[in-house]
C-alpha cells in the first residue's frame, strides 16, 4: 500500500509516533541490533577456478562501476521484529560516495522528519518535537549499543546493490549452496574491521545477497536484493531486505519512482531551525 511519500496508517501495523520517530528511524536504518545469521556459502574454489572468477569479478565490478549515480526515490521502510512493526514512508535521496537523505511527510505533504547522513556524520530535524539532532554516528552507536560498522558502513553501496570499493582485495571465493551465483569475500579498510561476503550473479551483473561479517566472524546482517530495474544501462534494486538479526528483527526497503537526481552536497547538510532544542553527539 503506497501513499505518495506521506506518513499514513497501514492495517494491522503501527506507524511510528512522530514524537519518537527520529531516534526510531535512525535505529531502523542501522539494522536495529546485530544478530547472527546462517552461512549460505559453500566450499572455497580451487586455484584454477579462482583465476577465472577473479577475472569475471573484475569485469563485473568495472561494468557497474560507472553506475555510481545520485538517485532519488519514494521509499517505504518496514522495520519489524517478533514483537513490533514500524513503517516509515517518505522520499529517499542517495549519492556517492556515502550521502543519504530521508524525509517523511504528514498527510498534507509537509515535512515531519528530515534525516541526513554523510558517512560518519548525521543530522536530523523533528518538526513535532522541535528538536535538532546531529553528531557522529559512532557516538550514537555507542550510546545505543549498536554496531558502529553498520551505522558508518557504505550505505550507498548497500542500498543500491553496488559491489564494494574496487580498491578492496578479494580474499576467499566460494560456491553457493543453492547455486545462485558465486560468493566473493572482501575485507574493509579501517576500524572497526569487518568484511563482506557478496553473492554475485555474474550472468546478470547483479548482487543477489551480501553478508556483513564482524572481526569475530559473526554475521551481523544479511542483505538481499530483488526486483532489479535497469536505469539507462545501470541495474538498481527495487527491494532491499535485511534479515538474520536478533529477536527475529528485519528491515525491508521498497523503492518506487527511482530516478537520477541532482548531485548537490548541500541537500545532505541541515541547519538547526531557530528555537529548536539541540541534541549533539560529539
Amino acid at each position: 500500500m503506497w501513499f505518495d511519500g506521506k506518513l499514513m496508517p497501514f492495517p494491522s501495523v503501527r506507524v511510528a509516533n512522530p514524537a519518537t520517530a527520529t531516534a526510531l528511524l535512525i535505529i531502523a536504518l542501522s539494522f536495529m541490533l546485530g544478530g547472527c545469521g546462517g552461512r549460505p556459502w559453500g566450499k572455497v574454489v580451487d586455484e584454477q577456478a579462482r583465476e577465472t572468477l577473479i577475472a569475471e569479478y573484475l569485469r563485473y565490478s568495472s561494468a557497474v562501476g560507472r553506475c555510481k549515480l545520485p538517485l532519488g526515490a519514494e521509499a517505504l521502510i518496514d522495520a519489524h521484529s517478533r514483537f513490533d512493526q514500524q513503517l516509515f514512508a517518505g522520499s529517499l535521496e542517495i549519492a556517492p560516495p556515502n550521502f543519504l537523505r530521508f524525509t517523511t511527510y504528514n498527510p498534507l505533504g509537509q515535512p515531519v522528519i528530515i534525516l541526513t547522513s554523510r558517512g560518519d556524520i548525521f543530522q536530523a530535524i523533528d518538526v513535532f518535537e522541535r528538536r535538532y539532532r546531529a553528531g557522529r554516528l559512532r557516538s550514537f552507536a555507542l550510546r545505543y549499543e549498536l554496531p558502529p560498522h553498520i551505522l558508518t558502513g557504505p550505505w550507498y553501496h548497500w542500498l543500491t546493490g553496488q559491489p564494494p570499493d574496487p580498491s578492496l582485495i578479494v580474499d576467499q571465493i566460494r560456491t553457493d549452496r543453492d547455486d545462485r551465483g558465486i560468493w566473493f569475500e572482501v575485507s574493509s579498510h579501517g576500524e572497526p574491521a569487518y568484511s563482506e561476503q557478496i553473492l554475485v550473479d555474474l550472468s546478470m551483473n547483479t548482487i543477489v545477497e551480501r553478508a556483513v561479517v564482524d572481526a569475530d566472524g559473526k554475521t551481523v546482517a544479511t542483505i538481499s536484493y530483488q526486483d532489479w530495474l535497469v536505469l539507462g544501462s545501470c541495474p538498481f534494486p527495487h527491494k532491499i531486505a535485511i534479515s538474520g538479526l536478533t529477536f527475529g528483527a528485519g528491515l525491508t526497503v521498497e523503492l518506487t519512482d527511482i530516478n537520477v537526481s541532482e548531485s548537490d552536497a548541500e541537500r545532505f547538510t541541515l541547519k538547526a531551525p531557530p528555537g529548536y532544542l539541540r541534541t549533539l553527539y560529539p
Side-chain angles (χ1 to χ4, degrees):
M1 187 176 295
W2 191 252
F3 292 95
D4 297 327
K6 299 177 176 61
L7 193 62
M8 298 290 283
F10 286 71
S12 304
V13 298
R14 184 162 60 88
V15 175
N17 183 337
T20 59
T22 304
L24 285 171
L25 181 55
I26 296 171
I27 293 171
L29 288 174
S30 68
F31 301 170
M32 298 180 181
L33 300 171
C36 183
R39 295 181 178 274
W41 46 88
K43 296 179 180 180
V44 176
V45 302
D46 60 36
E47 281 301 315
Q48 183 175 359
R50 176 183 171 84
E51 290 183 10
T52 301
L53 290 169
I54 284 289
E56 282 293 293
Y57 178 81
L58 293 176
R59 175 201 59 77
Y60 151 73
S61 183
S62 175
V64 300
R66 67 180 185 279
C67 295
K68 292 182 173 62
L69 304 172
L71 299 175
E74 296 300 304
L76 175 63
I77 301 175
D78 178 353
H80 52 271
S81 71
R82 297 172 188 166
F83 315 108
D84 197 10
Q85 183 174 16
Q86 298 280 343
L87 290 175
F88 303 91
S91 61
L92 176 68
E93 299 170 57
I94 48 179
N98 203 20
F99 295 165
L100 178 149
R101 177 185 173 116
F102 185 73
T103 307
T104 66
Y105 302 88
N106 65 18
L108 299 178
Q110 300 164 324
V112 174
I113 294 169
I114 307 172
L115 170 67
T116 66
S117 173
R118 293 174 288 127
D120 190 36
I121 303 296
F122 83 94
Q123 296 173 289
I125 293 175
D126 187 323
V127 176
F128 276 83
E129 282 193 342
R130 295 183 60 80
R131 182 186 294 269
Y132 168 83
R133 294 177 173 88
R136 298 179 63 84
L137 282 168
R138 292 180 188 275
S139 299
F140 187 91
L142 290 173
R143 179 174 297 190
Y144 290 96
E145 299 182 351
L146 298 167
H149 45 276
I150 296 296
L151 261 69
T152 60
W155 276 94
Y156 179 84
H157 291 75
W158 290 348
L159 288 174
T160 59
Q162 289 272 333
D165 190 289
S167 67
L168 301 180
I169 297 175
V170 175
D171 296 324
Q172 300 288 353
I173 302 178
R174 298 179 173 87
T175 59
D176 180 62
R177 297 186 187 278
D178 296 324
D179 295 324
R180 297 172 296 167
I182 298 293
W183 287 94
F184 297 87
E185 179 182 6
V186 182
S187 298
S188 72
H189 295 313
E191 294 293 337
Y194 73 92
S195 64
E196 286 191 65
Q197 297 277 359
I198 59 170
L199 175 61
V200 182
D201 182 343
L202 293 169
S203 66
M204 298 297 293
N205 278 355
T206 57
I207 293 178
V208 179
E209 188 172 291
R210 72 201 314 152
V212 182
V213 182
D214 67 15
D216 297 323
K218 183 176 73 172
T219 300
V220 296
T222 299
I223 311 169
S224 61
Y225 303 95
Q226 300 176 29
D227 301 335
W228 288 81
L229 162 77
V230 177
L231 191 62
S233 59
C234 297
F236 295 103
H238 266 107
K239 187 173 183 179
I240 304 101
I242 297 94
S243 60
L245 307 179
T246 301
F247 304 121
L251 187 71
T252 301
V253 181
E254 293 189 28
L255 304 178
T256 59
D257 299 330
I258 301 174
N259 60 86
V260 177
S261 62
E262 295 183 3
S263 182
D264 184 356
E266 292 185 2
R267 291 285 299 165
F268 304 94
T269 301
L270 302 177
K271 294 182 180 180
Y276 273 47
L277 179 65
R278 301 188 182 197
T279 302
L280 303 179
Y281 300 83

